[in-house]
Amino acid sequence: MSLRLLEIARELSYWSPIVLCSIGLPGIILNLIIFLGTKSSRQSSIVYYIIGQSISDFGILLIILLQNYPSTSMSQSTISCKLSIYFSQLTVSCGMTFLCLSSFDRWSCTSRSVRIRQLSSIHMARYLFLISFLFWSLINLPYLFYCDINPYLNQCSFTNEFFAYISVYFLAPIFSTLLPLVILMIFGILTYKNIHYLNHFRNRTHLSIWEQQMTKMMIIQTILSIFCTLPRCIYLIYVISTVNEYLTRSFERIIIEYFIDQLTLFIITMNFASSFYIYFLSSSRLRKTIKTFLKNLFHLQNNQVIPISVQHTANPFTVTKHH
């Protein structure tokens, strides 16, 4: 049983990046094309967070896929070790941050308070878009200095014990899973309450049809993100709480934990590969936009041929003589 579980975990580890990238990367590219190329879409503040999330998601899936092959894995060289860990931490942090900012934007956008609604603005979105990338780029800089190839294990690992402790028990679990999960749950509930209030007073709603559809898209994505993040969060809490038992674990327990580790990684990575399909299924306007884009791309416009009736007469011209 243990060996069978180990085999399943290995297969999951190998095939999940390939499957998720095959599904996620085309969707992310379409996200960027649609939201960057459509002028009407850029008039909403949340689009900046969607673009930031799409860029982060693209980086996450690409890094995961590259780790699947020995020639591009982080254990290949010192440079690949440092850059792979740095950019994986950067993209995951940014991806979860933009998810939280999208949830925050929908809460402020649907608020009854005018002052809170002012937080949902294009100016604020542009500012937070740049600040998020800059902040996480600086926070994750120590990974470039304190990660390298371990010559004894021939794998990428930490070279500083203190930073390893901070990363494993604080940076990775708190900023990548626990804190985003709490934020998503809080603003998801608050947004739902705001929408519930607006539904009782339809004539008082200040949201355009596009903003209403964007809000629907983000609520569905928030719910999915919570369900995708929760298993990983529970697993990390378990790992941290049982760290003192690490050296006394049985062989069967190690295999079970390895299987759960791979399974929860697969589930949380689905969060980074599914945004386009959530938007596509939940927004009729986005579906029309994508349909129009694909028609223009493949020259599938419906060309209508209008028949022209030509009548031939014996005397096409009439000459009148004036006496």
Side-chain angles (χ1 to χ4, degrees):
M1 179 64 183
S2 298
L3 294 178
R4 177 58 180 166
L5 199 62
L6 178 62
E7 184 65 25
I8 294 173
R10 286 177 175 174
E11 292 292 324
L12 186 63
S13 174
Y14 178 79
W15 287 107
S16 60
I18 297 175
V19 172
L20 290 173
C21 287
S22 300
I23 296 172
L25 291 179
I28 292 170
I29 293 171
L30 279 174
N31 265 351
L32 291 171
I33 292 173
I34 297 301
F35 288 107
L36 282 172
T38 308
K39 185 177 180 180
S40 58
S41 298
R42 296 197 302 270
Q43 295 174 356
S44 176
S45 57
I46 195 174
V47 169
Y48 289 88
Y49 304 135
I50 292 176
I51 292 171
Q53 182 191 338
S54 298
I55 295 172
S56 302
D57 291 350
F58 187 90
I60 293 167
L61 294 180
L62 188 61
I63 290 171
I64 291 174
L65 181 64
L66 292 176
Q67 298 312 308
N68 224 26
Y69 304 100
S71 59
T72 55
S73 70
M74 64 176 64
S75 300
Q76 185 67 20
S77 65
T78 297
I79 295 177
S80 63
C81 169
K82 292 178 179 293
L83 292 180
S84 295
I85 291 185
Y86 174 74
F87 281 108
S88 62
Q89 294 296 323
L90 172 63
T91 51
V92 170
S93 301
C94 287
M96 298 304 291
T97 298
F98 285 119
L99 267 174
C100 294
L101 287 174
S102 297
S103 183
F104 167 79
D105 182 85
R106 290 302 89 186
W107 164 72
S108 57
C109 179
T110 56
S111 175
R112 286 171 281 176
S113 170
V114 177
R115 293 185 64 182
I116 294 178
R117 287 203 303 270
Q118 290 175 350
L119 297 175
S120 177
S121 65
I122 293 177
H123 174 74
M124 177 68 73
R126 288 174 179 171
Y127 176 78
L128 292 176
F129 178 87
L130 295 174
I131 288 296
S132 297
F133 278 112
L134 180 61
F135 175 78
W136 290 116
S137 297
L138 296 175
I139 288 294
N140 290 297
L141 273 179
Y143 287 100
L144 293 175
F145 301 102
Y146 299 124
C147 291
D148 207 339
I149 300 295
N150 188 318
Y152 301 102
L153 302 175
N154 195 29
Q155 65 181 17
C156 189
S157 60
F158 293 103
T159 58
N160 184 282
E161 186 176 350
F162 178 71
F163 180 71
Y165 183 86
I166 293 176
S167 176
V168 173
Y169 298 112
F170 183 74
L171 290 179
I174 299 297
F175 287 140
S176 299
T177 52
L178 290 173
L179 186 59
L181 180 63
V182 172
I183 294 174
L184 287 172
M185 292 178 68
I186 291 174
F187 285 111
I189 294 171
L190 293 176
T191 303
Y192 174 80
K193 288 184 177 181
N194 288 344
I195 293 175
H196 183 71
Y197 173 81
L198 291 174
N199 287 337
H200 282 282
F201 301 94
R202 293 183 181 272
N203 59 327
R204 294 178 58 182
T205 182
H206 51 271
L207 299 177
S208 64
I209 295 176
W210 175 236
E211 288 288 354
Q212 291 178 32
Q213 291 193 7
M214 294 290 284
T215 302
K216 180 182 177 182
M217 288 159 48
M218 292 316 304
I219 287 178
I220 295 174
Q221 187 178 22
T222 298
I223 294 172
L224 181 64
S225 298
I226 290 172
F227 280 105
C228 288
T229 308
L230 189 59
R232 187 65 181 174
C233 181
I234 295 173
Y235 174 73
L236 289 176
I237 292 173
Y238 163 79
V239 170
I240 294 172
S241 62
T242 59
V243 65
N244 294 330
E245 304 172 12
Y246 185 79
L247 298 176
T248 60
R249 296 177 301 168
S250 64
F251 178 70
E252 290 187 355
R253 179 178 171 182
I254 293 173
I255 292 177
I256 292 172
E257 289 180 355
Y258 175 64
F259 171 75
I260 296 174
D261 179 40
Q262 294 302 314
L263 182 61
T264 54
L265 273 175
F266 171 72
I267 294 172
I268 197 172
T269 308
M270 288 175 59
N271 193 31
F272 306 115
S274 59
S275 60
F276 168 77
Y277 304 98
I278 295 172
Y279 304 156
F280 181 82
L281 293 173
S282 57
S283 173
S284 58
R285 177 174 170 177
L286 186 64
R287 289 195 295 270
K288 291 178 182 178
T289 303
I290 293 171
K291 184 179 179 180
T292 303
F293 168 76
L294 293 177
K295 280 185 175 182
N296 293 333
L297 181 64
F298 296 106
H299 306 289
L300 297 176
Q301 294 92 340
N302 294 324
N303 297 320
Q304 295 182 350
V305 179
I306 302 174
I308 301 175
S309 178
V310 181
Q311 295 180 349
H312 297 278
T313 59
N315 299 311
F317 301 100
T318 301
V319 178
T320 304
K321 294 182 180 180
H322 297 276
H323 298 282

